[in-house]
Amino acid sequence: MNVEINIRRNDRVVVISGKDRGKTGRVIEVHPRKRRILVEGVNVVKRHLKANSRRGVQGGILEKESPIDVSNVMVICPHCGVASRVAHQVLADGRRSRACKKCGATIESK
Ligand SMILES: [Zn+2]
């Protein structure tokens, strides 16, 4: 199954559902096969680390982002600043690109 994912690394996205609804952040990683993405500052989970003196590990709390489903976010258009659905375009030279459905601007993948 070839599922198209509209989200690319370094996109700014807004979370539209779940406990982090309304948060925005930069996409750090995209896992197309799992349809999951990692977003900076979103879905942060705390892991409690046990101190282990033999291995020199200090106890404490480690905070780390955890992946979320791509359906839980929308891309924020860098041109009009609106969270928008993304349209697919095929450029004259055959390259595929993304476009904002609100303002029509091309959204470049960085
Ligand atoms: Zn736009």
Side-chain angles (χ1 to χ4, degrees), residues 77-82 84 100-105 107:
C77 171
H79 299 276
C80 64
V82 172
S84 163
C100 171
K101 278 194 177 170
K102 289 257 163 57
C103 69
I107 302 174

Coordinates of all heavy atoms in Angstrom, one line a residue, residues 77-82 84 100-105 107, ligand 1:
C77 N 1.2 26.5 7.0 CA 1.7 27.1 5.7 C 2.7 28.2 6.1 O 2.4 29.1 6.8 CB 0.6 27.7 4.9 SG 1.1 28.6 3.5
P78 N 3.9 28.1 5.6 CA 4.9 29.1 5.9 C 4.6 30.5 5.3 O 5.2 31.5 5.7 CB 6.2 28.6 5.4 CG 5.9 27.4 4.5 CD 4.5 27.0 4.7
H79 N 3.7 30.5 4.3 CA 3.4 31.7 3.6 C 2.3 32.5 4.3 O 2.4 33.7 4.5 CB 3.0 31.4 2.1 CG 4.2 30.8 1.4 ND1 5.2 31.5 0.8 CD2 4.5 29.5 1.2 CE1 6.1 30.7 0.3 NE2 5.7 29.5 0.5
C80 N 1.2 31.8 4.6 CA 0.0 32.5 5.2 C -0.1 32.2 6.6 O -0.9 32.9 7.3 CB -1.3 32.2 4.4 SG -1.8 30.5 4.5
G81 N 0.7 31.3 7.2 CA 0.7 31.1 8.6 C -0.6 30.3 9.1 O -0.8 30.3 10.3
V82 N -1.3 29.8 8.2 CA -2.6 29.1 8.6 C -2.4 27.6 8.5 O -1.7 27.1 7.6 CB -3.7 29.5 7.6 CG1 -5.0 28.7 7.8 CG2 -4.0 31.0 7.8
S84 N -3.3 24.3 7.3 CA -4.0 24.1 6.1 C -3.9 22.7 5.6 O -2.9 22.0 6.0 CB -3.5 25.0 5.0 OG -3.9 24.6 3.8
C100 N -0.3 25.0 -0.4 CA -1.3 25.3 0.6 C -2.7 25.5 -0.1 O -2.8 26.1 -1.1 CB -0.9 26.6 1.2 SG -2.1 27.4 2.3
K101 N -3.7 24.8 0.5 CA -5.0 24.9 -0.1 C -5.7 26.3 0.2 O -6.7 26.6 -0.4 CB -5.9 23.8 0.4 CG -5.6 22.5 -0.4 CD -6.7 21.5 -0.2 CE -6.4 20.2 -1.0 NZ -7.3 19.1 -0.7
K102 N -5.1 27.0 1.2 CA -5.7 28.3 1.5 C -5.2 29.4 0.6 O -6.0 30.1 0.0 CB -5.3 28.7 3.0 CG -6.1 27.8 4.0 CD -7.2 28.6 4.6 CE -8.2 27.7 5.3 NZ -7.6 26.9 6.4
C103 N -3.9 29.5 0.5 CA -3.3 30.7 -0.2 C -2.7 30.2 -1.6 O -2.4 31.0 -2.4 CB -2.3 31.4 0.6 SG -0.7 30.5 0.9
G104 N -2.6 28.9 -1.8 CA -2.1 28.4 -3.0 C -0.6 28.4 -3.2 O 0.0 28.0 -4.2
A105 N 0.1 28.9 -2.2 CA 1.6 29.0 -2.2 C 2.2 27.6 -2.2 O 1.7 26.7 -1.5 CB 2.1 29.8 -1.1
I107 N 4.6 24.9 -0.9 CA 5.3 24.6 0.4 C 6.5 23.8 0.0 O 6.4 22.7 -0.4 CB 4.4 23.9 1.3 CG1 3.1 24.7 1.6 CG2 5.1 23.6 2.6 CD1 2.1 24.0 2.5
Ligands
ZN1 ZN -0.9 29.3 2.8

